[in-house]
Amino acid sequence: MAWRNACEELTQSKPLFITIYTVVIIGIVVSSFYVFSAIYSSDTPAAHSSAWLASSISPENPRLIDQTLNISQSEKVHAVSNKQNVWPSSVWEVPPSNKKMPPLKDFRLTKELVQQRVKDNVVIVTFGNYAFMDFILTWVKKLTDLGVSNLLVGAMDTKLLEVLYWKGVPVFDMGSHMSSVDVGWGTPAFHKMGREKVFLIDSILPFGFEVLMCDTDTVWLKNPLPYLARYPGADILTSSDQVIPTVVDDNLEIWQEVSGAYNIGIFHWRPTESAKNLAKQWKEMLIADDKIWDQNGFNEILQSRLGPSVDDGSGLVFAFDGKLKLGILPASIFCSGHTYFVQAMYQQLRLEPYAVHTTFQYGGTEGKRHRLREAMLFFDTPEYYNPPGGFLSFKPSIPKRLLLSGEHNVESHFTLINHQMKQIRTALAIASLLNRTLVMPPLWCRLDKLWYPHPGVLEGSMTRQPFLCPLDHVFEVNVMLKKLPKEDFGPGIDFREYSIFDNPSLPSEVKKSWLDVQLCKEGTQDCDGSYNTTAGGVLKFPKHSSEEMFMKVFSSFKDVKVIKLSSVQDAFTGFTNKEREERFRRRVKQYVGIWCCGLDKPIGHIYYDMYWDEKPGWKAIPPQSPEEDHPPL
């Protein structure tokens, strides 16, 4: 009845209104047709995008809810019209095995791509090539363990991009076409890698997002985002190479007292005009002169105009153009390799560290891995904790006087190191003989090691004497891991960090398969290499044993995962085969490096000598001439 009345009214209306009603009705019909087509056609790109969006915005994916709310209406429409996200909805979610990897062009850096990872307008970024994949996986794992997922990894080669994609790590293509091997510090390729950081910052800032940029050899220990949010007025917050604390709490460093360089391994940028201008000028500087190191260029530009303080309380300082507000992150909690591994500054100040960057070390990439492993901060595969042949461990013996008596000087430092080195040399020989992986002992030092002359420890630093020093202070970790020709240097000797038995990743099967060996004086009761299960499961083994004795006794324990010796002093008389003995000597002579550096000396460094005890009158002195400046023969 209502429709009939409407039609009668329509026929009595003017022609203009008849036309309007007709157009409206036709529009409704056409719109309905398209709506129903979209609903029932599951093969259209729009339908796929809508379905993905609906499945992503759920209680299981709150991060994407936050992101969607941050996108403007026009960006939402654009996002719905795009294809499915190239990454799974959460970090570590592995793509389906039957799914083909998206084309490389889908991984290009765009605002839309970065937006998918942003949270509270912040994205955390690192980058590298395939050689640093284990560092990158550690970087990602530590962040996700902390509940931080707004991260992105830039891949400098397609090999890394593919591996990370199939592991569920958000990755983008940097278009660098870089080699997948380790480029080595200071090489032209290393400097090229560093410059990519500058280009990356200059590319992301115009998107309007905050960027926390980190090197891959950085490990996160605490969520840094709340700390950075404490300084909303800062344009840039940067780490530094400062080794002397200017504050004893978690406030920013006092900028007037900072003498160390600003370190670009960890720095946070906000997309302000001053920050964007700095990034642009920094990039142009590096393009104009390919000999400038990126970090030096950063320091030069920032410090060209430094001061005054922004205010009385924040710790921020005006820099660069007089408008940029800069803050220097405290080195006690945004740690360098020195403040964390040598000074343990955060421990002494009772602070919780946010990150450690493996600077101030001497073993290349291998040395960085080993330091992080010593601190149980590195992500390794299960095989690393259960090597073929099992482990050999020993309890080092260090008299109290070597640690604490007398002055801390070059002589007392070398006396302490040499005492430990002799034991390690014996342990390396036994590990080689039994084909086991040696667990290196913790190493104690009296003096610090640096690239330049110093008085033993840096004045004003919090370095204690003695201190537990990283292995690379004495040993050439990179050489120890190098595959040397067997015909010249004998079989390789694998090793692990001193803390491995405390690592939660150590399998239970290794922990349960353990043999304690007590060294004893030959001729005393039960000192014959027999295993006495009634005496606490301890095997008594005579000192000064030959190669044959070792092989005879320990061949019965090949399946035991860990053999721990109570001591290695006077444990082994040497290899029976003199050629093998000589090859072993050639190998381990290369394992030790130098101490550096003495004050007021033409040549300040002193070589460690693995066989110092075979040279009567040996003294810890630097080479007296350039001709003598070589490793010990």
Side-chain angles (χ1 to χ4, degrees), residues 549-577:
M549 183 66 172
F550 269 92
M551 298 305 294
K552 174 185 175 182
V553 172
F554 291 106
S555 60
S556 302
F557 299 96
K558 286 184 177 180
D559 294 332
V560 174
K561 298 293 185 180
V562 182
I563 293 177
K564 183 172 183 179
L565 303 174
S566 62
S567 173
V568 291
Q569 293 189 103
D570 303 320
F572 183 44
T573 57
F575 296 99
T576 303
N577 185 306

Side-chain angles (χ1 to χ4, degrees), residues 217-395:
D217 60 343
T218 298
V219 172
W220 290 102
L221 311 174
K222 187 177 179 181
N223 181 358
L225 300 181
Y227 185 93
L228 303 176
R230 284 169 50 181
Y231 302 95
D235 297 302
I236 295 178
L237 295 168
T238 182
S239 60
S240 74
D241 290 335
Q242 184 71 11
V243 294
I244 301 170
T246 68
V247 291
V248 294
D249 52 25
D250 65 349
N251 286 317
L252 296 176
E253 300 279 11
I254 300 173
W255 67 269
Q256 297 95 329
E257 299 178 19
V258 171
S259 56
Y262 305 153
N263 190 292
I264 59 176
I266 304 173
F267 54 176
H268 176 248
W269 295 64
R270 287 193 171 90
T272 61
E273 286 306 309
S274 287
K276 286 188 280 189
N277 290 337
L278 171 62
K280 182 179 179 181
Q281 187 171 323
W282 186 18
K283 181 183 74 171
E284 290 173 350
M285 169 193 277
L286 298 182
I287 292 174
D289 187 349
D290 60 6
K291 294 183 176 59
I292 296 178
W293 182 26
D294 54 349
Q295 182 166 290
N296 287 349
F298 180 74
N299 278 263
E300 181 181 332
I301 293 176
L302 266 182
Q303 297 180 18
S304 61
R305 183 175 178 181
L306 190 63
S309 296
V310 172
D311 51 47
D312 293 333
S314 68
L316 299 177
V317 57
F318 287 112
F320 174 50
D321 57 0
K323 300 176 182 177
L324 184 141
K325 294 183 282 295
L326 170 71
I328 305 168
L329 298 168
S332 57
I333 51 180
F334 290 87
C335 310
S336 68
H338 198 277
T339 61
Y340 189 91
F341 297 108
V342 176
Q343 296 189 53
M345 190 186 290
Y346 71 94
Q347 290 182 348
Q348 299 194 60
L349 295 177
R350 301 294 188 268
L351 299 172
E352 294 183 12
Y354 283 87
V356 55
H357 184 197
T358 53
T359 54
F360 288 88
Q361 66 86 42
Y362 309 93
T365 304
E366 294 84 357
K368 294 181 178 187
R369 284 192 185 92
H370 194 81
R371 282 202 182 188
L372 293 174
R373 285 166 172 164
E374 286 183 333
M376 295 186 288
L377 297 177
F378 201 71
F379 176 71
D380 278 299
T381 60
E383 294 77 20
Y384 179 83
Y385 300 96
N386 192 6
F391 293 110
L392 175 73
S393 176
F394 74 96
K395 183 179 179 181

